[in-house]
Amino acid sequence: MLIADCGSTWTKILDTGSGELEIISTRELVRRDDLFFEVATGHSGKKRCSRYKNELIALAEGSLALVGEGDFSIVDVGGRDVKFIRFAGRKVKKLDWNLACGSSTGATIELLGSYYEVDFTGLPASEKWINVTCGVFGMEKVLEHVSTGTAPENAVAMFLHGMVRNVFDFSGRPEHLYLSGGFCENKCFLETMEKYCSVASLGRTVPLEGLKDDTEEI
Amino acid sequence: MTDNQRKLIGYFGFPRRALLREVRERFSEDLQLVDLDVAAGAPDSGLLPRATCRIIANIVDNAAHLGDRLSAVVAAVGEDKCDRGRHAAWILKDMGLKVFESRFPEDEFEDRELVWSTGRGDLPGRIDRIMETIVDPSPPADPPVRCEPSHGFWGVPPNDFRLLELFPETTHIYGWIRCVEAGRPADLDLECMVDEGISTVFFHQSFCAKQDLAHNLAERYGGIAVDCHREINDSILAKVEAFIKLS
């Protein structure tokens, strides 16, 4: 059985039979009529499944499946949105979902990284940051920095630092934070985040974990 | 005279009742009242920047579209509305419309019973009934049964009412809408009053100054702040749906 988290930029597909995980760009997903899932979540999954699950609910249930603690915070930084849940006694205490702001999401970083050909695996965290009140204005500041002599990698690292500060604030400034999503694989992001709190990466499949219970009902 | 030619009296916000009465007496009690806050399909007048409160844009676009059909406009421009309401009134005057400015003073605050805010029933319908009390404050012949709140909706009537369809019938209404029902549109203390322990969505129109209250109160009461510009989209609906289910 195929289940999927169809994000705005990346789609994670799990074959529950073989356990095989495939990650494809959503750019590719939208061009493939053959892809259909038993259970799905994410912006791009609604019309491609037998059963659809709200993605914040999928994140909540996936978190509880992967984290054993009673009290913890998790933030999922996606391509287009950021979701945050704080659990107390394994019950949702607070949640939030920043739906469409580039000041704390992956798509802006991907654009910048792609344009300036930045290798995030080798990029050191920046001590300085650009205030990213808005993703578009933040990008404009990166362009300004580069045009006045800052190395592009440094300017992007500064933007990333500004973005991390937004994510930290959005998550309620916890001492410890579980991270979900593509930034689990971004070393610069993780090192920057460690300036503010301890971080444990859960990878890109937390929402998929939250779909597994739904497969048992089919 | 066809419906499209009939003269109207426009209003926005919650004008002082005495002023609305005076203007109606002066121009004719028979003239239909039209709430300029409500989207009515008017074309974009181009008189405001795009990144502005949609409700204020409705006021200006509606007024520009109705033009000469508006015999007068009664405009809430005080703390009971917002500074942008004051600016909108200026723009309407500049268009050549007869604008009567209203500032709702404390000594005219009423103490009306909160029938719809705390009653059981579909949320969009109850908000509509509250907003109708601006023009007709007579007690309802069909009041809803009072209920304990399961959820809360705080804020102003959204530009797109589809957001409200997600809420259960036992949702209590807070914020400026409650102030309207109480007859105290500038009562900031009442506007910020929320029952503790009730999962509440703090709604504001995008680019509205009330975002400061929504954000602050959402933090304080463990709620969620939601904003929308023009039409509601799947993402906003999913956020509210998740909050209602998980909280």
Side-chain angles (χ1 to χ4, degrees):
Chain A
M1 184 187 300
L2 292 183
I3 63 177
D5 172 14
C6 306
S8 299
T9 49
W10 297 97
T11 293
K12 285 70 72 179
I13 305 168
L14 179 68
D15 184 325
T16 58
S18 65
E20 187 185 329
L21 175 70
E22 185 187 8
I23 300 179
I24 63 172
S25 70
T26 300
R27 180 180 69 228
E28 181 188 338
L29 173 78
V30 299
R31 292 184 181 133
R32 289 180 56 179
D33 293 334
D34 59 307
L35 275 178
F36 190 85
F37 313 107
E38 287 305 315
V39 189
T41 188
H43 294 289
S44 309
K46 249 188 182 159
K47 294 181 182 168
R48 289 180 174 270
C49 61
S50 300
R51 184 184 297 193
Y52 181 79
K53 189 163 199 164
N54 180 295
E55 52 197 285
L56 191 52
I57 296 174
L59 179 69
E61 294 180 4
S63 308
L64 289 170
L66 294 172
V67 179
E69 295 156 52
D71 303 345
F72 65 95
S73 292
I74 181 166
V75 68
D76 179 281
V77 185
R80 176 172 32 152
D81 61 14
V82 189
K83 304 178 201 63
F84 154 71
I85 306 173
R86 185 186 314 141
F87 291 90
R90 295 185 73 73
K91 297 228 182 300
V92 174
K93 172 91 174 160
K94 183 165 171 58
L95 58 85
D96 206 351
W97 188 351
N98 186 333
L99 295 168
C101 178
S103 69
S104 41
T105 53
T108 322
I109 280 290
E110 283 203 47
L111 280 172
L112 286 168
S114 171
Y115 182 73
Y116 287 113
E117 297 176 332
V118 174
D119 176 9
F120 287 101
T121 58
L123 184 67
S126 169
E127 291 300 317
K128 296 180 183 174
W129 67 85
I130 288 171
N131 281 314
V132 185
T133 307
C134 157
V136 174
F137 292 159
M139 280 177 70
E140 188 265 328
K141 286 187 184 152
V142 168
L143 299 173
E144 176 70 15
H145 271 279
V146 172
S147 72
T148 53
T150 305
E153 298 76 20
N154 293 347
V156 173
M158 287 165 64
F159 180 99
L160 192 62
H161 191 157
M163 189 188 140
V164 162
R165 289 169 60 84
N166 292 341
V167 172
F168 180 60
D169 281 346
F170 181 73
S171 309
R173 301 186 174 186
E175 288 184 13
H176 179 71
L177 188 59
Y178 284 96
L179 178 67
S180 161
F183 280 100
C184 290
E185 297 168 6
N186 187 312
K187 187 164 155 287
C188 183
F189 182 95
L190 293 171
E191 281 180 7
T192 310
M193 197 78 200
E194 289 278 354
K195 293 176 186 298
Y196 297 93
C197 63
S198 65
V199 182
S201 295
L202 292 178
R204 303 176 76 169
T205 59
V206 181
L208 281 176
E209 285 295 326
L211 300 184
K212 285 183 178 173
D213 277 351
D214 293 70
T215 64
E216 283 159 23
E217 292 168 23
I218 295 175
Chain B
M1 191 182 286
T2 65
D3 279 349
N4 281 350
Q5 294 170 318
R6 288 186 201 285
K7 293 288 197 180
L8 307 161
I9 293 175
Y11 71 93
F12 63 79
F14 185 164
R16 292 174 55 234
R17 298 195 198 280
L19 179 60
L20 197 55
R21 220 168 21 244
E22 280 166 33
V23 171
R24 293 186 82 183
E25 283 165 9
R26 177 170 160 180
F27 288 91
S28 171
E29 301 260 5
D30 293 336
L31 293 189
Q32 186 186 333
L33 286 170
V34 60
D35 183 351
L36 297 176
D37 292 294
V38 178
D44 181 2
S45 63
L47 293 169
L48 294 174
R50 290 203 184 285
T52 197
C53 171
R54 193 59 232 165
I55 304 300
I56 301 299
N58 287 344
I59 292 168
V60 174
D61 291 349
N62 284 335
H65 184 59
L66 290 169
D68 290 346
R69 287 187 63 198
L70 287 167
S71 295
V73 174
V74 187
V77 299
E79 290 175 350
D80 46 286
K81 181 67 172 174
C82 62
D83 229 24
R84 279 211 170 110
R86 196 162 64 98
H87 303 159
W90 186 92
I91 292 171
L92 267 54
K93 271 190 252 178
D94 197 51
M95 273 186 218
L97 294 173
K98 289 191 186 65
V99 178
F100 296 84
E101 293 188 353
S102 164
R103 290 170 177 81
F104 212 113
E106 264 191 54
D107 59 11
E108 287 183 21
F109 278 9
E110 298 161 357
D111 211 0
R112 295 161 54 80
E113 194 186 347
L114 299 173
V115 170
W116 300 105
S117 297
T118 61
R120 186 184 183 108
D122 79 289
L123 184 61
R126 285 188 285 131
I127 290 179
D128 268 338
R129 295 298 293 267
I130 290 173
M131 301 313 291
E132 286 166 9
T133 65
I134 291 174
V135 172
D136 179 3
S138 43
D142 57 341
V145 173
R146 202 187 181 286
C147 68
E148 287 303 304
S150 62
H151 296 80
F153 179 86
W154 178 98
V156 298
N159 188 58
D160 188 339
F161 262 44
R162 286 178 294 168
L163 173 68
L164 305 173
E165 291 166 11
L166 292 175
F167 291 80
E169 289 194 344
T170 47
T171 300
H172 276 204
I173 300 169
Y174 304 99
W176 188 77
I177 304 172
R178 178 173 282 217
C179 293
V180 169
E181 184 172 25
R184 316 161 69 85
D187 188 342
L188 188 57
D189 288 333
L190 180 60
E191 187 171 2
C192 295
M193 200 295 294
V194 177
D195 288 316
E196 293 269 2
I198 305 302
S199 301
T200 300
V201 169
F202 293 86
F203 173 79
H204 64 90
Q205 284 291 138
S206 304
F207 313 112
C208 171
K210 289 188 191 295
Q211 70 174 21
D212 302 337
L213 294 180
H215 179 82
N216 184 280
L217 293 171
E219 285 295 310
R220 183 189 297 192
Y221 291 102
I224 195 170
V226 171
D227 72 294
C228 178
H229 184 36
R230 287 179 183 256
E231 290 82 36
I232 221 76
N233 60 28
D234 280 352
S235 295
I236 296 171
L237 292 173
K239 178 175 177 176
V240 173
E241 177 198 47
F243 176 73
I244 289 174
K245 280 194 178 149
L246 290 173
S247 59

